[in-house]
Amino acid sequence: MDLVIDNLPFLFKGAYYTLLITVVSMFFGLIIGLITAIARLKGNRFFRTIARVYVSIIRGTPPLVQLVIVYYGLVDYGIELGALTAAYIALSINIGAYVSEAFRGAIQAVPAGQTEAALATGMTEGQAIRRIVIPQAIRISIPPLGNTFVGMLKETSLVSVIAVTELLRSAQLLIAQYYVYMPFYLSIAVMYWILSTAFTFILNEIEKRLSVY
Amino acid sequence: MIQANDLSKSYDQHEVLKHISLTIPAHQVVAVIGPSGSGKSTFLRCLNGLETITGGSVSINNHLLKATDKKKTRLKTIHEIRQDTGMVFQQFNLYPHKTVIENVMEALIIVKKQSKSTAKTVAAQLLKRVGLQEKEDVYPSKLSGGQQQRVAIARALAMEPKIMLFDEPTSALDPELVGEVLKVMKELADEGMTMVIVTHEMRFAESAADRILFMADGQIVEDSEPKAFFAQPATERAQKFLAKVNEF
Ligand SMILES: Nc1ncnc2c1ncn2[C@@H]1O[C@H](COP(=O)(O)OP(=O)(O)OP(=O)(O)O)[C@@H](O)[C@H]1O
Ligand SMILES: [Mg+2]
């Protein structure tokens, strides 16, 4: 226990990276997901196909494989990314696919009458989507997005394999130094749990805030 | 003015509107009645491009929309047509995430590019006109059906349409709320608005409309004055329909 307390700053630094990777990937994942969802629902055949293939590939391959392709694989083509950058890219692309599925479901859940009412007042299709459909879809998508993000938080442990010192790797480094396992593994488990719970709490608050109507 | 020329609409093999031709002059109030599935909604929605016509043409205030138009031309014409038409739906379709006044302001800001404060003034006036000035800041879910439909009418009027299209505006309402919506519509009619109203309210059709269109099987089977129509419809279809309606 003392060992853990002595090394808390180091573990907190790991937690910081875990959180950073989660938040950054979430941010870009949201953008990618929204664009992909709209491409799938409203794009022409070309964009629809691209979006569909993207989602299919990401959902059909392990995130670890995606990560090593970005970090190690791209080196063959002269693209050498920093470990953190590779983590951001791989995880954003990964989560974007799942986010797009959540958004797609949510957009489809907004009744067609909403778009029709907007179009009837003279809005273009794009204006109707931006102003009327998306705001409603975002609220609908929060519960599934919440699940995606908490999953994401846990998945960041994968990036320990490319030597980003997030939570899991912090523990591994400490273990290598002190030759005891359980205290460190247990403490990071607790930290993951706290982070997930905090995330869920924040998302619930956002949902409440958006539920004024 | 509304003109339909040989207007047809099919879904795949299923022909829903069959070669409809008619002219509705400005300021006329037309009630469209007929059995379920006869194509009333489809006809109305073809007038403002919510459905794509598959044959013939529609002209709204000289914006001519032809079935043969290329997509780009079609979108442009439909956009112009929608500047001149307002539509009210059976299910109101108010934006649930916006307050009553925001519902009315939305198109003013987005389509007409008005400033927020101008839009707000206009919207407030319209809400007053439909008797809902004290509901400006509530969300639609807090309103009765009749109030929601009046907001929907105000929202459509905000764009200063020359033509108003109504698709069964009172069918989703509790009976005691029908009157307040019909009253607003009657006022509009009296002010000279051109209106096409799909309705099951026969008494309203008789008293407020200048003209009755009776539709069956995708065609306009009768086109007559309300008095004449309700006294004695010319066709057997219409006679049967009225007999059925009057059972209730
Ligand atoms: N999107 C669609 N795809 C296929 N068929 C459709 C579609 N929309 C409507 N139809 C068909 O077109 C016909 C006319 O429908 P429409 O809604 O215009 O009838 P209506 O006269 O408005 O009926 P109601 O009084 O029930 O509202 C119906 O047979 C309906 O099944
Ligand atoms: Mg209908």
Side-chain angles (χ1 to χ4, degrees):
Chain A
M1 197 67 212
D2 285 349
L3 276 182
V4 171
I5 290 170
D6 289 346
N7 288 293
L8 261 188
F10 189 69
L11 286 173
F12 280 148
K13 193 147 177 245
Y16 164 76
Y17 276 106
T18 289
L19 198 59
L20 182 70
I21 295 165
T22 306
V23 170
V24 171
S25 310
M26 239 171 64
F27 176 78
F28 289 109
L30 276 174
I31 296 172
I32 296 172
L34 188 56
I35 293 169
T36 307
I38 291 174
R40 278 193 78 173
L41 291 171
K42 307 281 170 186
N44 58 27
R45 180 176 297 186
F46 177 72
F47 286 110
R48 272 206 318 268
T49 309
I50 291 189
R52 215 181 41 235
V53 170
Y54 156 62
V55 173
S56 165
I57 289 175
I58 296 300
R59 298 216 305 176
T61 53
L64 184 56
V65 172
Q66 296 160 14
L67 184 68
V68 293
I69 285 176
V70 171
Y71 186 59
Y72 297 113
L74 288 181
V75 174
D76 288 355
Y77 302 96
I79 304 173
E80 287 190 41
L81 298 166
L84 200 55
T85 314
Y88 291 153
I89 292 174
L91 291 180
S92 299
I93 292 175
N94 174 273
I95 199 170
Y98 291 93
V99 167
S100 83
E101 288 295 279
F103 274 146
R104 195 165 68 103
I107 290 172
Q108 283 173 328
V110 177
Q114 289 291 310
T115 311
E116 291 179 356
L119 292 178
T121 61
M123 285 192 216
T124 63
E125 183 117 5
Q127 289 169 331
I129 292 175
R130 275 198 305 281
R131 302 282 312 184
I132 305 303
V133 177
I134 302 252
Q136 295 182 58
I138 284 177
R139 187 192 137 182
I140 299 172
S141 65
I142 285 185
L145 279 184
N147 292 337
T148 309
F149 288 154
V150 171
M152 165 88 205
L153 176 77
K154 292 182 281 188
E155 241 165 54
T156 54
S157 58
L158 291 177
V159 307
S160 59
V161 305
I162 59 169
V164 174
T165 310
E166 41 63 73
L167 263 181
L168 179 58
R169 195 171 144 84
S170 317
Q172 287 164 345
L173 289 177
L174 291 172
I175 287 163
Q177 192 177 339
Y178 296 103
Y179 301 106
V180 281
Y181 289 83
M182 207 49 162
F184 294 121
Y185 279 148
L186 274 184
S187 8
I188 64 163
V190 168
M191 288 189 190
Y192 275 120
W193 178 67
I194 291 173
L195 287 176
S196 311
T197 311
F199 247 77
T200 311
F201 175 78
I202 293 169
L203 281 161
N204 283 342
E205 283 304 301
I206 293 176
E207 197 186 0
K208 253 188 242 158
R209 201 69 53 85
L210 289 177
S211 303
V212 285
Y213 55 87
Chain B
M1 191 174 75
I2 301 170
Q3 246 175 330
N5 219 318
D6 207 26
L7 163 64
S8 298
K9 169 71 186 175
S10 311
Y11 294 105
D12 300 320
Q13 304 301 334
H14 183 38
E15 198 170 35
V16 176
L17 295 180
K18 298 168 185 163
H19 309 282
I20 293 179
S21 295
L22 89 164
T23 302
I24 299 173
H27 312 301
Q28 195 169 62
V29 177
V30 177
V32 182
I33 64 176
S36 179
S38 56
K40 306 180 297 294
S41 299
T42 308
F43 172 64
L44 204 65
R45 294 159 57 86
C46 283
L47 296 182
N48 72 345
L50 284 183
E51 301 290 348
T52 313
I53 60 177
T54 49
S57 67
V58 169
S59 162
I60 307 284
N61 288 348
N62 296 320
H63 300 300
L64 179 65
L65 183 66
K66 297 199 292 282
T68 52
D69 281 341
K70 293 260 180 326
K71 188 172 178 194
K72 211 172 152 192
T73 322
R74 191 176 75 226
L75 288 180
K76 187 167 165 285
T77 314
I78 288 176
H79 192 68
E80 287 162 354
I81 286 177
R82 286 178 184 157
Q83 309 295 316
D84 277 1
T85 52
M87 190 168 205
V88 175
F89 302 84
Q90 181 174 349
Q91 299 299 336
F92 328 133
N93 297 350
L94 292 180
Y95 312 134
H97 59 303
K98 295 183 177 292
T99 63
V100 163
I101 196 157
E102 285 169 351
N103 263 273
V104 183
M105 289 162 61
E106 185 68 15
L108 291 174
I109 295 170
I110 301 302
V111 181
K112 283 204 171 172
K113 312 286 181 206
Q114 290 184 358
S115 72
K116 250 194 160 161
S117 61
T118 315
K120 198 159 190 164
T121 318
V122 175
Q125 270 164 4
L126 282 162
L127 286 174
K128 197 166 164 201
R129 182 159 156 201
V130 299
L132 289 169
Q133 61 269 45
E134 76 283 12
K135 299 289 185 192
E136 282 182 8
D137 296 320
V138 304
Y139 285 92
S141 59
K142 299 284 183 302
L143 299 181
S144 73
Q147 291 170 329
Q148 290 193 47
Q149 194 60 297
R150 284 186 281 149
V151 176
I153 293 174
R155 176 176 67 180
L157 289 177
M159 297 303 288
E160 299 182 304
K162 313 249 178 1
I163 297 167
M164 285 283 283
L165 309 172
F166 294 85
D167 192 359
E168 301 197 29
T170 59
S171 294
L173 299 178
D174 292 335
E176 73 271 20
L177 302 176
V178 169
E180 61 189 73
V181 173
L182 293 182
K183 182 168 157 278
V184 172
M185 290 169 60
K186 182 83 173 86
E187 284 165 10
L188 262 183
D190 291 343
E191 287 164 25
M193 178 67 80
T194 311
M195 296 164 75
V196 184
I197 308 164
V198 176
T199 185
H200 289 300
E201 298 288 333
M202 295 305 149
R203 275 206 292 190
F204 176 75
E206 190 169 0
S207 67
D210 303 315
R211 179 176 176 188
I212 305 290
L213 299 180
F214 176 74
M215 282 188 75
D217 294 329
Q219 288 172 314
I220 295 175
V221 179
E222 279 193 52
D223 179 350
S224 41
E225 297 238 312
K227 274 217 181 64
F229 179 83
F230 286 105
Q232 180 61 37
T235 62
E236 204 181 321
R237 282 297 308 250
Q239 285 164 13
K240 277 194 176 143
F241 176 75
L242 279 189
K244 220 176 199 148
V245 170
N246 288 333
E247 277 173 22
F248 296 102

